[in-house]
Amino acid sequence: MAIPRLAFGPEDGLLVLSGAGLSAESGIPTFRDANGLWKRHRIEDVATPEGFAGDPMLVWRYYSQRRSAVRGCEPNAGHRCLAALEETLGDRLLIVTQNVDGLHQRAGSTRVIEIHGNLFRTRCSACSRESFDDNDDHTDEVPRCNKCRHGLLRPDVVWFSEALDSRHYVQIGQFFSRRWKRLHYLAVGTSGVVYPAAGLVQQARLARAQTWAVNLEEPDNVDEFDFFVKGRATERLPWLLRTDE
Ligand code: OAD
């Protein structure tokens, strides 16, 4: 079947779910590919509250290493084409990203929901202070909260077994339920394994969206999509979204 390209009328909307594959061509490793992060690190050690409680220094070394790797990377043509599309669509485009690298914003996107947090933000594991920007590497000592004075600071990323921010569900739900003439849903660079993000496509279908997946290989939940576009995000996104014309 020939794959149509996306076109937007004045009452049409697009929700994009992005995953690690979108940043792969910026040089940031994915999680589950051959040399992915979960092949080199144990999820239990570096991405769970129990891992942090057991060895917070190990966790900070891991995230400090990721911070310094991401600092040396730039947004790619995939991020840039979504930022360019926002100039046309404005608030009719919403990006929901599982990525914690901040590359969407560095490319110029402003309507971004970071459902798994951000690598360059830190929060207290004990008190309710707001998370804050933190560009430092913490490789020698686990930082402590200067507000409650005893809590260990931790990266503001979502770990396994932790809930997503309920405000994000509300924002996503509100976007889906607007009065669209046509709504499109596009998942890019994500394996479709991790929920609740992988279930957004079902929510999109309930909202009568046409659903698209752009990925190097078939995602786990490929059957949920109307169209699967196989290939690299940097090539396929500009083509699909017509920003290459
Ligand atoms: P994965 O590593 O699970 O999947 C990345 C997907 O991107 C794979 O299906 C690849 O085939 C595809 N891919 C790789 N390079 C690509 C490219 N250049 N263009 C297009 N696709 C490409 O990453 P995610 O699905 O993002 O969560 O993982 C979801 C969550 O699992 C992450 O946010 C993280 C992880 O555990 C937390 O840490 C909470």
Side-chain angles (χ1 to χ4, degrees):
M1 181 186 21
I3 294 173
R5 295 162 82 179
L6 283 170
F8 299 95
E11 295 165 61
D12 298 345
L14 170 67
L15 190 142
V16 175
L17 172 70
S18 63
L22 178 61
S23 294
E25 291 171 77
S26 292
I28 300 173
T30 63
F31 293 94
R32 295 176 181 78
D33 289 309
N35 197 27
L37 290 171
W38 295 155
K39 300 280 189 305
R40 290 179 276 144
H41 303 272
R42 279 165 33 102
I43 288 177
E44 300 81 357
D45 293 341
V46 297
T48 62
E50 294 76 18
F52 184 71
D55 192 346
M57 199 66 254
L58 175 82
V59 173
W60 266 117
R61 288 204 181 103
Y62 167 74
Y63 283 97
S64 299
Q65 201 182 16
R66 284 182 65 191
R67 279 183 179 180
S68 97
V70 169
R71 264 186 228 113
C73 296
E74 296 297 328
N76 63 46
H79 300 103
R80 287 196 300 271
C81 98
L82 289 170
L85 192 63
E86 187 184 306
E87 286 177 19
T88 317
L89 294 185
D91 75 346
R92 293 186 287 123
L93 170 66
L94 180 65
I95 297 174
V96 176
T97 188
Q98 299 166 90
N99 299 341
V100 294
D101 54 34
L103 290 190
H104 280 297
Q105 293 90 329
R106 278 171 57 192
S109 289
T110 64
R111 299 171 197 280
V112 184
I113 299 181
E114 295 178 308
I115 49 171
H116 289 170
N118 187 298
L119 206 47
F120 298 98
R121 293 187 70 77
T122 290
R123 67 180 173 88
C124 180
S125 59
C127 77
S128 57
R129 85 185 267 193
E130 279 289 306
S131 69
F132 57 93
D133 292 340
D134 178 15
N135 215 348
D136 294 342
D137 292 337
H138 304 285
T139 51
D140 298 328
E141 206 178 326
V142 178
R144 284 192 183 265
C145 179
N146 58 15
K147 198 141 197 197
C148 70
R149 306 236 167 250
H150 71 275
L152 297 182
L153 293 179
R154 55 162 281 180
D156 188 21
V157 296
V158 176
W159 286 331
F160 284 85
S161 85
E162 293 184 322
L164 303 192
D165 187 333
S166 58
R167 290 169 297 186
H168 293 164
Y169 288 114
V170 173
Q171 284 173 281
I172 294 166
Q174 282 171 344
F175 188 86
F176 277 137
S177 60
R178 277 166 58 180
R179 289 173 66 87
W180 303 112
K181 188 155 187 192
R182 264 189 320 177
L183 177 62
H184 299 288
Y185 174 84
L186 166 65
V188 54
T190 178
S191 54
V193 175
V194 174
Y195 285 78
L200 274 186
V201 61
Q202 289 152 2
Q203 210 179 325
R205 291 169 72 97
L206 285 173
R208 297 164 169 263
Q210 200 164 43
T211 54
W212 312 69
V214 173
N215 219 55
L216 263 191
E217 59 199 37
E218 285 193 356
D220 252 40
N221 57 351
V222 70
D223 292 343
E224 305 279 354
F225 289 87
D226 298 313
F227 300 103
F228 169 53
V229 184
K230 188 177 169 72
R232 288 165 32 183
T234 51
E235 286 172 6
R236 302 310 269 162
L237 271 191
W239 174 83
L240 187 66
L241 298 169
R242 294 171 180 266
T243 52
D244 62 348
E245 286 177 346

